[in-house]
Amino acid sequence: VPGETYHSVQLIRDEFLMNIQKFANNIQRTMQQLEGEIKLEMPSISVDRDVSDLAADPEAVETLEQCVINWLNLISAAVEGQLKKTPQGNGPLAEIEFWRERNATLSALHEQTKLPIVRKVLDVIKESDSMLVANLQPVLTELFKLHMEASDNVRFLSTVERHFKNITHGSSFHVVLETIPSMMSALRMVWIISRHYNKDERMIPLMERIAWEIAERVCRVVNLRTLFKENRASAQHKTSEARNALHTWKKAYFDTRAKIEASGREARWEFDRKRLFERTDYMAAICQDLCDVLQVMEEFYNIFGPELKAVTGDPKRIDDVLCRVDSLVTPMENLTFDPFSIKSSQYWKYVMDEFKIEVLVIEKEAKNFIDESFKTLRSAEAAFDMLLKFKHIRSRDAINRQMMMKFNDILAQYCKEIDIVNKLFVQNLDNPPLCKNHPPVAGAIYWERSLFFRIKHTILRFQEVEEILESDRGREVRQKYLEVGWTMKDYEDRKYELWKEVTEQALPNLMKKSLLTKTSAAADEAANSEKGAVFVINFSPALREIINETKYLEQLGFPVPELARNVALQEDKFLRYTDGIQRMLDHYHMLVGKLNEAEALLLDDHSQELIRVFRSGYKRLNWNSLGIADYITRCKQAIGKFESLVHQIHKNSDDISSRLTLIESVNLFKYPAAKSEEELPGVKEFFEHVERERAKDVDHMVRWYLAIGPLLTKVEGLVIHTNTGKAPKLAFYYEYWEHKIYDVLTKLILKNLQSFNSLILGNVPLFQTDTILTAPEIILNPNASEIDKMCVRCVRNCVEITKHFVRWMNGSCIECPPQKGEEEELVVISFYDDISLNPQIIEQAVMIPQNVHRILISLMKYLQKWKRYRPLWKLDKAIVMEKFASKKPPCVSYDAKLQFYSKIAQEVMRHPLVKDEHCIRLQLGPLANTVQENARSWVTSLGKLLNESAREELYHLHEEMERWV
């Protein structure tokens, strides 16, 4: 059905293409008629009068005669032009187009001669006895005759047009092959019926055109430059169809000719055969040569294929031979002449002779190669398969005969294979290689049988050709095969009997083993202790091996003991049991592994209860027991109950740990942020802020700490179902968490002290202190001593926050009440008593004030440079001024003094007014302002003194001037 569908689709395609071509030709023809239509010029006078009246009018007759002369010239020229034309092309379709074009031209002229006005003009000429009458009728008769001939030819040739189009435009040679017989029948009908194509001079050229078209199509399709590069099957099919098309053309002609002769009523076809068939016969011979070449190529490829490569083990040499095979057609691909031209027949004969000589050379080399290769075969069976294949495929006869003589070589190779297999068997006899999952005995038998099958399979194949094993060499090979086979069979039987004996003895004891074995987790524990026990499933590997052996041996066809078969049939049940027990034990060990030492002691009673459930698995039950499934269910339920308790204990532990984490992460030195880039908090403000924030955090910490006791009481309720907070069985658990709390508080204090110490020694100032002048000294505000005290107090308070964490009474999680001291004072027992003695904490608590003190000393050294301004405030200004004035200094001295003090007033403001030293920022602004004010007061005092001195001088000068007057 698919083939028929494809064929119908091809026919529809061809029909569509031909109709499109026909439509295009009609359009072109119509355009030619419209553009070049020959029109008869009508007379210039009126011809509405009667014929007799016009014939009696000499002027009218003269005018009409001139018009008719023009018509005759026009018609004669058109006819002459048509008679000179020839078909445009060598194919049969060109001849149809030729007649259609003539028919269209002559039809147009003929139809014009039938027009009423033309007929009337001709009647007037006849009536007037014009001399043109003698010339008029032959021309019109010739036009009519040629028109009828063209019309008749177009009508008859249209019946074969479809066949011509199939030959010219058909999709494949298959269409041409189907078309040629029906085309010949149609041409026979044209020969019989047509009045013009019933003569040799018309039919021979038409058939010659058909032959030319078929030959040209073959030339186009069978292109030697690309033919051998195509798929071999496709190339063979194409070439054979081309050859068949050429043969069919000749055969169809002679078949139709025979039918015409047999009828006896029709004119015979005695056409020139050389014109019709000389070229097509030569081309058919060339196509046959190409088919032979392609067949030779295929035969060589069939021989030198993958099978020969696999057998001989010399793929390179085979590839070299194939390269030579490929080069056979190289001369044909590079021809310098047209192989389908009869003129080149000698050249083509030379090419084919060279091809045949090279084929004989390759055949000879192939036979030598086969002789050598079969002496070193890789596989006897593969070589045998190849020989059988060559019996049934087409290949070179000489090579085939050579191949069929190689059975002795195959037998020799088979003997080598038997020796190889026997050597492998002997070498691995005691330790055979096993396949994955194969048990030892069955695996060894599998291995032995696989070796035996390698030689058995080949000899079974040899039995397909009787003469191989009937020869002397064949009988030797058969005897060698049987000896190796008997040795292997004996090995197989001994293996099986030994296994059977061992299995019958060991299997009952293996089935009586307990489900579990128990080992102690601690080396120094008593042998009967069940605390910390680790359980292991006690399904013996030997039992598992027996089950596997039983299954595989039964598959191999051995009879197995009844008990072993029953156990093997229960394999799925045992797998379910072992899987269930293993999952149960993994779950138990996972839970126990999650417990720390304190939790293991806490849940010891519950662990003992769980182990009591396990006890029947290693005391009473064995693999024959019927209650294994119930045992697994009971254990899973007990483990589930224990797991629920463990999860609740862990949940409470996580709650306590989260509170301890919160306590440990508290920052006890939260300092205030800077007020601006320039202004930091003062010393007192800094430490007061730290203390306030610390007090808030301590309140939170104490609340978190107080929540731990109730959580431990909750654990007591889960484990022993009481809520006293002082259960003796939980004493070690309370102690465990008290140690945890101590560690957290120690880390908290140590971490905060280290962090604060890093801040102290850092390069970011945390607080500031002012520098003031208190004559005669420059001091800090607050002074260094106060800063030291505030730092010491802050560090001490940091450590003393642990006083808020009251210790528990021994063996409980209840806070210890205040105790009376030596002087009847109440003493609160807290973690402070232990933490304050920690060497690391003591070291840090001492180091911080020391570092602050060093920073203050460094700042005081920095202030020493300001002591050079000490005379400004240390000297008694009044005494100095009075002493200076008593010397009655000149104005220059006053000016020097004034310049000195003014320069000091300006200089002090150019000093840096801020000094950062690690965590302390020193504000020097107040000191600078005070020094500046002192300098300015000296300038003012000197000014007043100068004023008074000048006034006295003026008064004195005034008095003298008055005396002189």
Side-chain angles (χ1 to χ4, degrees):
V1 175
E4 293 178 3
T5 304
Y6 176 77
H7 184 60
S8 62
V9 169
Q10 290 291 100
L11 291 177
I12 293 170
R13 168 189 170 279
D14 294 344
E15 179 76 21
F16 176 74
L17 290 176
M18 286 188 288
N19 287 332
I20 289 292
Q21 185 67 33
K22 184 176 181 181
F23 178 65
N25 292 338
N26 287 335
I27 290 175
Q28 186 176 4
R29 194 180 309 110
T30 303
M31 290 174 64
Q32 289 173 354
Q33 290 176 4
L34 291 174
E35 292 171 356
E37 185 178 0
I38 302 172
K39 294 185 179 180
L40 298 179
E41 185 179 355
M42 295 297 109
S44 57
I45 63 173
S46 173
V47 291
D48 294 339
R49 291 179 289 166
D50 291 340
V51 172
S52 57
D53 292 342
L54 291 170
D57 186 352
E59 292 181 0
V61 170
E62 184 180 356
T63 302
L64 294 178
E65 281 181 345
Q66 186 61 45
C67 184
V68 169
I69 289 170
N70 293 337
W71 289 353
L72 291 177
N73 292 335
L74 186 66
I75 292 171
S76 297
V79 168
E80 185 178 353
Q82 287 298 318
L83 290 175
K84 288 180 180 179
K85 285 186 177 180
T86 56
Q88 300 299 308
N90 297 324
L93 290 175
E95 182 149 347
I96 295 177
E97 290 303 313
F98 166 76
W99 287 113
R100 277 187 177 143
E101 185 178 346
R102 175 179 286 190
N103 181 47
T105 302
L106 298 180
S107 176
L109 282 173
H110 183 67
E111 291 300 323
Q112 290 181 71
T113 61
K114 292 181 180 180
L115 293 174
I117 187 171
V118 174
R119 302 305 304 174
K120 192 170 186 179
V121 169
L122 294 177
D123 289 343
V124 169
I125 296 300
K126 290 177 182 179
E127 184 72 25
S128 64
D129 294 328
S130 172
M131 295 177 63
L132 293 175
V133 174
N135 297 330
L136 178 64
Q137 195 59 41
V139 172
L140 294 177
T141 302
E142 180 70 12
L143 173 64
F144 176 74
K145 176 185 173 185
L146 291 175
H147 170 246
M148 290 305 295
E149 180 187 20
S151 175
D152 192 49
N153 288 345
V154 168
R155 187 170 69 255
F156 284 106
L157 289 178
S158 295
T159 61
V160 292
E161 183 180 13
R162 176 185 179 82
H163 303 302
F164 293 166
K165 287 181 177 178
N166 279 341
I167 290 174
T168 306
H169 304 298
S171 61
S172 64
F173 277 120
H174 179 72
V175 176
V176 176
L177 286 168
E178 288 185 342
T179 300
I180 289 174
S182 56
M183 179 188 68
M184 280 296 181
S185 298
L187 288 174
R188 177 187 175 190
M189 294 303 298
V190 171
W191 173 262
I192 295 169
I193 299 172
S194 173
R195 289 175 293 178
H196 304 284
Y197 273 90
N198 57 356
K199 302 179 182 64
D200 291 3
E201 57 268 19
R202 281 283 173 81
M203 186 59 80
I204 289 176
L206 179 61
M207 287 200 169
E208 196 172 2
R209 287 175 177 276
I210 296 170
W212 180 89
E213 189 65 58
I214 294 172
E216 284 301 308
R217 175 145 191 172
V218 170
C219 288
R220 286 197 307 272
V221 174
V222 184
N223 183 355
L224 267 66
R225 294 189 182 279
T226 60
L227 181 67
F228 299 108
K229 294 182 175 66
E230 299 175 16
N231 176 271
R232 287 197 300 276
S234 172
Q236 282 182 308
H237 179 71
K238 181 191 294 184
T239 310
S240 62
E241 281 201 333
R243 178 198 61 200
N244 294 339
L246 294 167
H247 286 158
T248 301
W249 156 244
K250 186 174 184 179
K251 180 178 182 301
Y253 167 80
F254 283 107
D255 288 348
T256 306
R257 181 176 179 275
K259 290 178 183 177
I260 290 173
E261 290 181 357
S263 67
R265 298 188 301 274
E266 306 159 20
R268 297 177 61 184
W269 279 4
E270 296 293 345
F271 304 148
D272 187 347
R273 297 181 186 179
K274 183 176 181 181
R275 291 175 64 183
L276 298 184
F277 305 116
E278 182 181 28
R279 186 185 179 196
T280 57
D281 285 349
Y282 177 74
M283 291 180 69
I286 299 297
C287 288
Q288 183 60 52
D289 286 345
L290 292 175
C291 287
D292 294 342
V293 168
L294 289 167
Q295 184 61 46
V296 168
M297 299 285 286
E298 183 183 4
E299 289 170 355
F300 276 127
Y301 278 113
N302 286 341
I303 296 167
F304 298 104
E307 295 86 358
L308 191 60
K309 285 184 181 180
V311 169
T312 61
D314 192 358
K316 184 179 183 305
R317 190 167 176 187
I318 293 176
D319 289 338
D320 292 341
V321 174
L322 288 177
C323 287
R324 292 193 62 182
V325 172
D326 290 335
S327 65
L328 284 172
V329 297
T330 303
M332 299 180 189
E333 293 177 330
N334 302 314
L335 292 178
T336 57
F337 59 88
D338 180 7
F340 291 113
S341 172
I342 298 176
K343 297 176 183 178
S344 306
S345 60
Q346 291 301 319
Y347 302 125
W348 177 254
K349 184 175 182 301
Y350 174 76
V351 170
M352 286 304 297
D353 290 343
E354 288 295 317
F355 173 80
K356 291 172 184 176
I357 291 169
E358 185 64 20
V359 166
L360 293 175
V361 171
I362 295 175
E363 274 188 357
K364 183 178 180 182
E365 183 174 340
K367 287 193 281 186
N368 292 336
F369 171 67
I370 290 169
D371 288 341
E372 294 173 13
S373 298
F374 270 81
K375 292 176 183 177
T376 56
L377 290 174
R378 297 175 66 187
S379 166
E381 184 182 359
F384 181 76
D385 287 339
M386 188 183 69
L387 291 183
L388 289 185
K389 181 182 177 184
F390 279 121
K391 272 190 168 185
H392 305 295
I393 67 171
R394 180 166 182 171
S395 62
R396 306 299 294 163
D397 291 338
I399 296 176
N400 254 0
R401 288 194 297 272
Q402 188 77 3
M403 290 287 226
M404 292 302 111
M405 297 166 62
K406 298 302 173 185
F407 285 115
N408 279 340
D409 293 336
I410 293 175
L411 290 174
Q413 173 62 25
Y414 180 62
C415 281
K416 293 179 185 177
E417 291 177 6
I418 292 176
D419 291 338
I420 292 169
V421 167
N422 191 43
K423 183 178 179 182
L424 284 173
F425 175 70
V426 173
Q427 284 178 346
N428 298 289
L429 199 60
D430 298 326
N431 187 23
L434 303 180
C435 296
K436 187 178 180 181
N437 298 327
H438 274 193
V441 175
I445 295 173
Y446 262 107
W447 167 75
E448 170 266 323
R449 287 194 178 181
S450 68
L451 289 178
F452 180 68
F453 181 76
R454 283 164 62 176
I455 57 176
K456 178 182 178 182
H457 181 71
T458 305
I459 204 166
L460 289 177
R461 296 297 313 281
F462 288 169
Q463 291 177 0
E464 297 176 18
V465 180
E466 295 180 2
E467 59 268 22
I468 292 181
L469 296 177
E470 294 302 323
S471 64
D472 293 340
R473 183 63 171 159
R475 284 192 287 271
E476 291 176 13
V477 168
R478 186 196 296 271
Q479 183 60 33
K480 190 169 189 177
Y481 160 76
L482 292 174
E483 289 174 0
V484 173
W486 290 331
T487 303
M488 291 185 174
K489 185 67 171 66
D490 181 60
Y491 169 81
E492 179 181 308
D493 293 340
R494 284 187 288 105
K495 277 280 184 183
Y496 166 71
E497 291 298 334
L498 181 61
W499 172 82
K500 182 178 178 183
E501 181 181 351
V502 171
T503 299
E504 288 175 342
Q505 293 176 0
L507 188 56
N509 295 328
L510 292 173
M511 292 297 292
K512 292 177 182 178
K513 286 191 174 184
S514 62
L515 302 182
L516 305 176
T517 57
K518 180 172 67 70
T519 60
S520 179
D524 58 347
E525 238 175 354
N528 59 352
S529 174
E530 293 173 340
K531 183 176 180 181
V534 175
F535 296 95
V536 179
I537 190 169
N538 193 24
F539 191 78
S540 173
L543 182 57
R544 193 182 303 273
E545 184 179 297
I546 287 174
I547 292 173
N548 286 337
E549 294 280 13
T550 303
K551 288 194 303 179
Y552 281 104
L553 287 172
E554 274 203 313
Q555 290 175 10
L556 291 169
F558 289 98
V560 296
E562 192 63 29
L563 179 58
R565 180 184 286 109
N566 291 337
V567 171
L569 290 173
Q570 300 179 67
E571 182 186 16
D572 289 342
K573 181 179 74 173
F574 288 137
L575 285 176
R576 286 197 307 274
Y577 288 164
T578 54
D579 184 61
I581 294 171
Q582 190 60 54
R583 288 174 182 273
M584 173 194 80
L585 294 178
D586 290 343
H587 193 185
Y588 165 73
H589 293 140
M590 181 268 295
L591 287 175
V592 172
K594 285 182 178 180
L595 302 178
N596 56 38
E597 187 178 355
E599 289 169 342
L601 289 171
L602 175 68
L603 297 174
D604 183 56
D605 290 345
H606 295 273
S607 298
Q608 295 299 326
E609 183 179 343
L610 181 59
I611 289 171
R612 279 194 291 275
V613 177
F614 286 176
R615 182 177 289 123
S616 59
Y618 59 87
K619 293 286 187 182
R620 181 173 54 84
L621 294 176
N622 59 38
W623 295 105
N624 286 318
S625 302
L626 299 177
I628 298 176
D630 293 338
Y631 169 73
I632 295 172
T633 303
R634 288 197 308 274
C635 290
K636 285 183 177 179
Q637 290 172 350
I639 292 171
K641 184 178 177 182
F642 183 71
E643 181 181 26
S644 175
L645 179 60
V646 169
H647 284 171
Q648 293 181 69
I649 299 297
H650 281 167
K651 184 178 181 304
N652 283 280
S653 297
D654 292 342
D655 289 344
I656 296 172
S657 297
S658 65
R659 284 162 172 75
L660 293 179
T661 302
L662 290 172
I663 291 172
E664 187 179 347
S665 64
V666 170
N667 181 5
L668 298 175
F669 290 94
K670 292 180 181 175
Y671 55 86
K675 298 176 182 177
S676 65
E677 290 185 6
E678 304 261 333
E679 187 178 2
L680 294 175
V683 180
K684 188 175 181 182
E685 182 184 354
F686 175 84
F687 284 108
E688 285 178 351
H689 184 276
V690 170
E691 293 293 346
R692 281 197 306 273
E693 293 298 320
R694 184 183 294 157
K696 293 177 186 176
D697 289 334
V698 168
D699 288 340
H700 292 302
M701 292 160 63
V702 170
R703 283 201 296 273
W704 294 331
Y705 171 70
L706 293 176
I708 294 175
L711 288 172
L712 292 175
T713 305
K714 186 177 178 182
V715 171
E716 178 189 341
L718 292 170
V719 176
I720 59 174
H721 309 297
T722 61
N723 56 359
T724 60
K726 53 182 179 180
K729 287 190 176 181
L730 269 72
F732 61 90
Y733 198 59
Y734 301 142
E735 184 179 347
Y736 166 79
W737 281 110
E738 200 164 20
H739 279 294
K740 285 274 189 183
I741 294 166
Y742 170 77
D743 291 340
V744 165
L745 291 175
T746 302
K747 290 177 184 177
L748 169 71
I749 301 301
L750 188 59
K751 180 186 70 174
N752 275 278
L753 290 178
Q754 290 171 342
S755 176
F756 187 57
N757 191 35
S758 299
L759 290 172
I760 293 295
L761 297 176
N763 294 321
V764 179
L766 302 177
F767 52 85
Q768 67 182 27
T769 179
D770 294 333
T771 309
I772 59 173
L773 177 61
T774 304
E777 298 295 332
I778 299 172
I779 63 171
L780 301 178
N781 184 28
N783 60 39
S785 176
E786 290 178 347
I787 294 174
D788 281 338
K789 288 178 182 178
M790 283 189 278
C791 179
V792 170
R793 185 166 54 253
C794 184
V795 171
R796 185 175 62 245
N797 290 342
C798 173
V799 179
E800 288 182 352
I801 66 145
T802 55
K803 290 181 177 179
H804 295 85
F805 297 90
V806 181
R807 295 285 298 273
W808 296 333
M809 290 188 289
N810 188 33
S812 75
C813 60
I814 301 170
E815 286 189 359
C816 183
Q819 304 294 314
K820 289 182 180 181
E822 295 177 357
E823 298 179 1
E824 297 298 323
E825 62 179 9
L826 293 178
V827 178
V828 177
I829 301 175
S830 67
F831 284 96
Y832 174 76
D833 300 328
D834 297 313
I835 291 174
S836 61
L837 300 177
N838 187 292
Q840 291 179 295
I841 291 176
I842 292 171
E843 180 186 357
Q844 289 294 324
V846 171
M847 191 185 300
I848 293 171
Q850 287 176 350
N851 289 334
V852 172
H853 187 69
R854 290 193 196 97
I855 296 169
L856 292 172
I857 290 172
S858 176
L859 290 174
M860 294 305 295
K861 287 180 181 178
Y862 176 76
L863 291 175
Q864 292 297 320
K865 66 176 69 173
W866 288 80
K867 287 188 178 181
R868 61 191 173 121
Y869 302 117
R870 184 180 293 178
L872 293 177
W873 61 82
K874 188 174 182 181
L875 297 175
D876 191 329
K877 192 188 313 175
I879 295 172
V880 173
M881 288 295 107
E882 183 179 349
K883 186 176 180 182
F884 179 72
S886 66
K887 295 179 181 179
K888 296 189 181 295
C891 288
V892 175
S893 298
Y894 275 104
D895 184 59
K897 289 283 187 182
L898 287 171
Q899 288 289 343
F900 173 73
Y901 288 115
S902 296
K903 186 178 179 182
I904 289 176
Q906 293 174 1
E907 182 183 296
V908 294
M909 298 311 290
R910 284 198 294 268
H911 285 301
L913 301 180
V914 173
K915 167 65 175 172
D916 289 342
E917 187 74 19
H918 294 294
C919 65
I920 301 176
R921 172 170 290 174
L922 189 62
Q923 291 288 357
L924 297 168
L927 177 60
N929 289 332
T930 304
V931 173
Q932 188 181 48
E933 287 172 7
N934 275 282
R936 285 175 178 172
S937 69
W938 280 91
V939 171
T940 303
S941 297
L942 283 169
K944 287 180 181 179
L945 192 59
L946 178 59
N947 186 27
E948 290 174 0
S949 174
R951 187 181 299 116
E952 286 180 4
E953 287 292 328
L954 283 173
Y955 286 150
H956 182 67
L957 182 60
H958 184 266
E959 288 175 359
E960 284 192 5
M961 287 175 68
E962 283 182 350
R963 279 200 307 271
W964 289 346
V965 174

